[in-house]
């Protein structure tokens, strides 16, 4: 099948190929035109989703070592340089391991708390990146971090928001002007 997949990264191409193969096993021969149209219309909000082009702003719900590894690989595949990462994981995640995977593709990290009761403490996020030779700043919330990163982004720099579904939901709401977008500290 020759298809135009509107999703970024090798992982999504592999997922599409697996889905096609599963459909072939379930129903037999597939109409290539229908497969092309179906794959062309796929949307995965929050999964390596580009929300803005100038500067490029991507959100990804990467919140495990495996999904963070896929994000780092995609950033390398698309030639994203000068990545400003807004990172907001939950407290029960393996922060050091995720930092080790992300630091090599980042120019700078901005730790920001999502408005979620299990959000990781900023100090824990900062400590996770300390041994990886990447500067780490902090912001009061996701919206503040996104705005700050976009202001810092130079030509060809990418702003990437990752670490949790909560962080990506807040970033999408803020950037796309959806209801519920606020900045500041998480509720008590």
């Amino acid at each position: 099948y020759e298809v135009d997949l509107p999703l970024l990264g090798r992982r999504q191409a592999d997922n599409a190929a697996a889905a096609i193969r599963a459909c072939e096993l379930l129903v037999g021969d597939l109409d290539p035109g229908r497969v092309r149209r179906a794959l062309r219309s796929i949307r995965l909000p929050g999964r390596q989703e580009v929300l803005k082009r100038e500067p490029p702003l991507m959100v990804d719900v990467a919140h495990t070592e495996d999904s963070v590894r896929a994000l780092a690989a995609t950033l390398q595949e698309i030639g994203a340089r000068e990545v400003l990462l807004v990172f907001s994981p939950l407290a029960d995640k393996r922060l050091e391991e995720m930092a080790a995977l992300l630091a090599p593709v980042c120019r700078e990290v901005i730790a920001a708390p999502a408005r979620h009761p299990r959000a990781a403490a900023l100090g824990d996020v900062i400590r996770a990146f300390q041994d990886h030779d990447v500067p780490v700043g902090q912001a009061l919330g996701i919206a503040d971090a996104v705005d700050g990163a976009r202001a810092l982004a130079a030509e060809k720099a990418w702003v990437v928001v990752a670490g949790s579904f909560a962080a990506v939901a807040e970033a999408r709401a803020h950037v796309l002007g959806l209801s519920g977008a606020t900045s500041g500290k998480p509720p008590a």
Side-chain angles (χ1 to χ4, degrees):
Y1 300 91
E2 290 185 29
V3 299
D4 292 318
L5 192 63
L7 306 174
L8 295 175
R10 173 75 186 172
R11 165 132 339 151
Q12 298 306 332
D14 291 344
N15 289 342
I20 291 169
R21 184 63 184 136
C23 289
E24 288 174 337
L25 291 172
L26 288 171
V27 299
D29 291 336
L30 302 175
D31 175 353
R34 289 182 75 184
V35 170
R36 273 192 297 279
R37 286 188 299 280
L39 291 179
R40 193 178 314 127
S41 68
I42 288 178
R43 301 291 178 265
L44 279 174
R47 178 61 76 189
Q48 297 181 7
E49 177 186 19
V50 177
L51 299 180
K52 294 285 184 184
R53 299 261 179 226
E54 296 294 325
L57 187 149
M58 174 195 291
V59 295
D60 190 355
V61 296
H63 64 286
T64 65
E65 290 167 76
D66 190 45
S67 58
V68 161
R69 185 177 293 109
L71 171 59
T74 296
L75 291 170
Q76 290 177 330
E77 289 168 16
I78 64 174
R81 299 199 182 357
E82 302 292 316
V83 173
L84 300 168
L85 175 67
V86 174
F87 195 59
S88 183
L90 298 183
D92 62 343
K93 300 302 176 179
R94 296 172 52 135
L95 302 182
E96 291 79 16
E97 289 81 354
M98 291 192 293
L101 293 164
L102 289 168
V105 298
C106 294
R107 178 182 94 192
E108 185 174 340
V109 174
I110 302 171
R115 290 185 321 268
H116 191 281
R118 290 183 19 239
L122 291 180
D124 292 343
V125 176
I126 292 167
R127 276 188 292 284
F129 281 93
Q130 278 181 336
D131 295 332
H132 297 288
D133 197 31
V134 60
V136 183
Q138 61 185 10
L140 292 175
I142 299 301
D144 293 333
V146 168
D147 291 344
R150 292 186 75 205
L152 288 172
E155 187 176 323
K156 298 187 181 183
W158 280 72
V159 174
V160 177
V161 179
S164 65
F165 283 84
V168 167
E170 286 183 48
R172 289 184 89 252
H174 177 66
V175 171
L176 300 175
L178 305 174
S179 64
T182 63
S183 63
K185 296 180 181 179

